[in-house]
Amino acid sequence: MAPPLAGVVRLAAVSRVLVLALSILARLLFSPYDTSAPLSPPCLSSPASSSSDPNSTVSAAVSSLAVWDGVHFARPAECGYEYEQSFAFLPLLPASIALLARSLFVPLVPVLGYRAVLVLSGYVLNNVAFVAAAAYFYRLSVLILKDQKAAYRASVLFCFNPASVFYSSLYSESLYALFSLGGLFYLFSGANTVAAIMLALSGSARSNGALNAGYFCFQALLQAYDAAVQKKRPLLVVRALVAAALRSIFIFLPFFAFQAYGYVNICVHGSSEELRPWCKAKVPLLYGFIQSHYWGVGFLRYFQVKQLPNFLLASPVLSLAVYSIIHYTKMLHQLFQTTSIHRQIITALEERSVESYKRSDDMTVLRSGLSGFTNKTHGNSKVKQRKSVASETPSATFHDTMSANQNIKENQDEGSILLLPFILHLAFMTFTAFFVMHIQVSTRFLSASPPIYWAAAHILASPNCCSKRWGYLICVYFIAYILLGSLLFSNFYPFT
C-alpha cells in the first residue's frame, strides 16, 4: 500500500474512533431528548415471536444507539417493510445489517437480543465502510486532480467532514459513499463493469445514487465525440451511446425495482380497503409520495420563517458547495480558452486508456502469481507481452497524455475536463438541497461530493492571507460540526 493511501486509511480509522468516542461520551454526560429509541414493538407479521432480550439493560443501551432515521433502518431489518412510510428508507443498509446479524454476529443474539445485534452490526458495517470509502476518495482524487498532495489534503478533510457523526451511526451515508466513490474510481479507471455494479448499489443505498448514471452519460459523450470526429466511425458512436444507455438503466434498476416491490406490497396485496392515492397515479412512484405526504418535501415548501435556524445550520456547506461550483467553473472556462475542447476530450480518453492498461497489467501479474511454479515462465512472458503492447502500441498516446499532464502540473489551476461531470452533479444536488429538500439535511446530503473537499483543500493550500483566513474558518466549521453532531445527534436532539 502506497504511503499516502495508507495514511488516509489510518486517518479514516482514527476519525471513526474519535467520533464514536465523542458520541459515547455525550450519551454518558447528557440525557437523551427522546428515550423511546430502545422500545421495540413486536413485528406485525409475527407478534408472538418477539420476546424480551436476555440482558435487558445492555440490550437497551445498544438498541438506544439507533437514533433518528436509524430507528427506521433497524425496523425493516428486523421486521421487513411493514408501513408505507418505511419505504422511504432504501433496502441496502437494512438487508446488509440483517445479513451480518444472521451470520457473523449470530453468536451475540442469545446475549444481546436480535434487535441490539442489528444495531451493533450497522455500526460496525458503516464504520468499516467509511474507511474503505476514504481510500476510494483518495484514489479518485488522484485520478481527477493529478496531484497527490492535493488529493491527500482533500482526503483528510473528507475523513473529518462535518457530517462525520452520520458516517459512524445507523445511517446509509457510509454505504452510499463507499459505492459511489468506488464506482466513480473504477469508471475513470476504465473498469466499466465494476463501476456499473458499484454505482447501482449506491442507488439502493440512497435515492440520489441513481444520479450517478450521469457519469456514464458523460463518458459516452466523450467516446462518441472521439468516434465521430477523431476516428470517423459512426458505428462506434452508436455503440458508445447504447452502452451508456444500458449501464444507466442498470444503475436505475435497483431503485425502480424497490418502487415496484412497494407497489406490489401496498397496492396489490395491501390490507387497506381503499387504494392509497399514489396507487391510482399514472406513474405510481411511492418514494415521491412518501417524501411529499409524510415529510412535506417539495419545491419551495420549506421556505418558511420558522425554518430560518435550519437555513443557518445548512449555510456553511451550501456556501462551500457554491464556492466549489464557481471555482471549478472558472477553472474550466480558463482551460477551454487556452486548450481546445477537442484536445481536452482526446487527452481525457487517452488518460483513461493508460489507466485501463495499468489495471490490466496488474490483473495479469496477479493471475500469473497464482498460476503456480509450472506456469511461471508462460505467465511472465504473457505479462511482458502485455506490457510491450501497453508501451509500444499506444506510445504516441502515452507521450501525448504525459505531456498534457506535465502542462497541468506546471499550473494546478488549469484543471481537467474530467471535473465537469462532478461540478454538474454537485450543482444539481445543491439546487435540490436548497429549493426542494429539508434544508438542514444538506450537510449530510452533500457530504459525499468530492468537489467540496477539493475546493476546500485548494483554499487551505493557497498562500495569500485572505485564503488563509477562509481556510481557518473551514477548519473551525469542520471541527465544530463534528463536536455538535456528536453531542446533539447522539442524544436525539435536532442536528441535520
Side-chain angles (χ1 to χ4, degrees):
M1 186 182 291
L5 181 57
V8 169
V9 170
R10 283 195 296 267
L11 275 176
V14 168
S15 72
R16 294 312 92 198
V17 172
L18 175 63
V19 171
L20 286 172
L22 288 171
S23 299
I24 293 171
L25 182 62
R27 290 299 295 267
L28 293 174
L29 295 178
F30 302 97
S31 299
Y33 176 75
D34 187 341
T35 58
S36 64
L39 298 178
S40 180
C43 298
L44 297 180
S45 57
S46 54
S49 65
S50 299
S51 59
S52 59
D53 297 317
N55 191 330
S56 58
T57 304
V58 177
S59 177
V62 175
S63 297
S64 68
L65 295 175
V67 296
W68 293 105
D69 288 357
V71 176
H72 299 287
F73 280 114
R75 183 73 180 183
E78 182 182 12
C79 305
Y81 285 88
E82 302 174 307
Y83 307 103
E84 184 178 68
Q85 60 269 33
S86 65
F87 282 86
F89 303 91
L90 269 63
L92 183 61
L93 179 58
S96 298
I97 63 177
L99 179 63
L100 282 175
R102 294 174 185 178
S103 56
L104 185 62
F105 294 106
V106 71
L108 296 177
V109 174
V111 181
L112 298 176
Y114 185 56
R115 187 173 188 273
V117 171
L118 284 172
V119 175
L120 181 63
S121 301
Y123 268 76
V124 173
L125 173 66
N126 283 339
N127 283 276
V128 172
F130 178 82
V131 175
Y136 278 123
F137 181 94
Y138 172 76
R139 299 175 75 184
L140 175 64
S141 300
V142 171
L143 274 181
I144 303 301
L145 301 180
K146 303 174 185 64
D147 181 356
Q148 284 193 356
K149 291 182 178 179
Y152 185 80
R153 287 193 300 268
S155 301
V156 172
L157 291 172
F158 176 72
C159 289
F160 296 93
N161 72 75
S164 281
V165 68
F166 299 103
Y167 288 90
S168 288
S169 59
L170 199 58
Y171 269 57
S172 56
E173 268 66 25
S174 287
L175 288 179
Y176 169 75
L178 170 61
F179 290 115
S180 61
L181 294 172
L184 293 178
F185 167 73
Y186 287 113
L187 171 61
F188 288 101
S189 298
N192 286 332
T193 302
V194 178
I197 293 171
M198 294 191 76
L199 294 180
L201 287 171
S202 76
S204 62
R206 292 188 61 84
S207 59
N208 53 291
L211 297 175
N212 288 322
Y215 289 94
F216 270 114
C217 296
F218 173 80
Q219 174 192 259
L221 291 176
L222 296 186
Q223 292 173 339
Y225 178 89
D226 178 55
V229 177
Q230 187 82 353
K231 298 176 182 175
K232 310 291 186 184
R233 297 178 66 183
L235 285 178
L236 286 182
V237 175
V238 176
R239 180 181 175 183
L241 296 177
V242 170
L246 292 175
R247 288 174 182 135
S248 297
I249 291 171
F250 181 75
I251 292 171
F252 273 92
L253 191 61
F255 176 77
F256 284 113
F258 186 61
Q259 300 309 297
Y261 171 74
Y263 180 85
V264 171
N265 274 266
I266 297 173
C267 302
V268 179
H269 301 304
S271 57
S272 177
E273 295 181 0
E274 185 178 352
L275 276 179
R276 299 292 292 149
W278 66 273
C279 293
K280 305 173 186 177
K282 291 181 179 179
V283 182
L285 188 61
L286 173 57
Y287 187 81
F289 173 80
I290 292 172
Q291 292 292 335
S292 175
H293 181 73
Y294 291 99
W295 280 278
V297 173
F299 185 66
L300 299 182
R301 290 178 67 176
Y302 216 63
F303 278 60
Q304 304 172 30
V305 175
K306 65 180 182 181
Q307 302 297 346
L308 277 177
N310 288 323
F311 275 84
L312 292 174
L313 190 65
S315 59
V317 72
L318 290 173
S319 301
L320 198 51
V322 171
Y323 170 81
S324 305
I325 295 166
I326 294 173
H327 171 71
Y328 286 114
T329 300
K330 288 181 177 178
M331 182 184 293
L332 289 171
H333 178 68
Q334 293 173 359
L335 176 66
F336 295 148
Q337 284 183 329
T338 57
T339 309
S340 68
I341 296 179
H342 173 78
R343 181 65 256 166
Q344 282 295 315
I345 291 174
I346 300 304
T347 301
L349 290 172
E350 288 170 352
E351 288 173 351
R352 190 172 182 273
S353 176
V354 171
E355 289 296 331
S356 297
Y357 273 114
K358 288 179 181 177
R359 291 187 57 79
S360 179
D361 287 341
D362 291 342
M363 290 303 296
T364 305
V365 171
L366 180 61
R367 291 193 191 102
S368 66
L370 295 174
S371 62
F373 180 76
T374 55
N375 295 329
K376 185 175 181 181
T377 306
H378 176 68
N380 287 343
S381 63
K382 233 179 136 179
V383 173
K384 289 178 182 178
Q385 185 180 8
R386 291 189 61 83
K387 286 190 175 179
S388 65
V389 170
S391 59
E392 291 174 10
T393 16
S395 58
T397 294
F398 186 81
H399 180 268
D400 292 341
T401 302
M402 293 301 105
S403 300
N405 286 350
Q406 184 62 36
N407 292 335
I408 290 173
K409 286 179 181 178
E410 288 174 0
N411 184 2
Q412 289 296 333
D413 288 339
E414 286 186 6
S416 164
I417 195 174
L418 296 180
L419 288 165
L420 182 58
F422 291 93
I423 301 310
L424 294 175
H425 182 265
L426 177 58
F428 181 83
M429 297 267 285
T430 304
F431 177 89
T432 304
F434 187 76
F435 290 105
V436 180
M437 297 173 56
H438 289 189
I439 192 72
Q440 68 270 24
V441 180
S442 302
T443 302
R444 60 186 176 91
F445 183 66
L446 301 176
S447 62
S449 297
I452 290 179
Y453 305 100
W454 296 341
H458 171 78
I459 294 173
L460 290 172
S462 183
N464 65 68
C465 295
C466 182
S467 293
K468 285 184 178 179
R469 286 195 293 269
W470 283 111
Y472 173 77
L473 289 176
I474 288 172
C475 292
V476 170
Y477 160 54
F478 276 49
I479 294 170
Y481 270 55
I482 289 175
L483 296 175
L484 278 174
S486 302
L487 172 63
L488 298 176
F489 174 83
S490 304
N491 286 300
F492 239 123
Y493 286 93
F495 177 51
T496 67

